[in-house]
Amino acid sequence: MSLQVTGKIVVIEPTNVVSDKFKKREFILSIEENINGNIYTNYAKMQLVQQKCDMMDKFKEGDNVTVSFNIKGNKWEKDGKVNYITNLDAWKIENAATPSAPTQAPENDDLPF
């Protein structure tokens, strides 16, 4: 599943070499949403993996970007307890021409049910 979101980069972490076969680089994206005239800010931690880690080198904190990403999830069991983790894996980052207006949630009359 491929998704896209536009927001402002608020944190860029250094590349983390997890093992000799895996590295990742995390960044935080600030995403504003307009709900009934109120602005709400959400913060999404996203990651770049392997050779894509270098894509972040051309951006800086404060840049407005559009990120294309996939949702990845894993399940594992430890000590009899099932655990889940979800990652937002970015695969493309582009400069956003201008900060877009926050997304307007549909009014109740606009909902299909």
Side-chain angles (χ1 to χ4, degrees):
M1 173 186 331
S2 181
L3 303 167
Q4 194 174 68
V5 67
T6 298
K8 181 169 60 172
I9 299 171
V10 293
V11 175
I12 299 174
E13 296 290 341
T15 299
N16 178 14
V17 179
V18 178
S19 72
D20 59 342
K21 296 182 179 183
F22 182 73
K23 65 181 179 177
K24 67 179 181 176
R25 189 170 191 183
E26 296 178 330
F27 62 100
I28 309 297
L29 200 63
S30 167
I31 306 160
E32 291 187 345
E33 185 175 17
N34 183 332
I35 299 175
N36 297 325
N38 296 309
I39 305 295
Y40 295 93
T41 303
N42 291 291
Y43 296 90
K45 180 171 26 173
M46 307 185 96
Q47 70 178 16
L48 298 158
V49 297
Q50 304 304 73
Q51 74 278 7
K52 291 181 176 68
C53 292
D54 297 337
M55 287 193 317
M56 188 54 67
D57 291 342
K58 66 181 182 177
F59 299 100
K60 63 185 182 313
E61 292 175 1
D63 285 351
N64 289 301
V65 294
T66 298
V67 179
S68 298
F69 65 99
N70 296 324
I71 297 174
K72 302 283 180 142
N74 291 308
K75 171 184 170 181
W76 77 97
E77 188 172 332
K78 182 177 181 181
D79 300 327
K81 182 180 178 194
V82 176
N83 298 285
Y84 299 90
I85 187 168
T86 303
N87 291 310
L88 305 178
D89 284 355
W91 52 270
K92 182 179 179 182
I93 305 173
E94 300 175 302
N95 280 314
T98 57
S100 60
T103 305
Q104 174 68 44
E107 297 294 326
N108 287 339
D109 294 341
D110 296 334
L111 296 176
F113 46 88

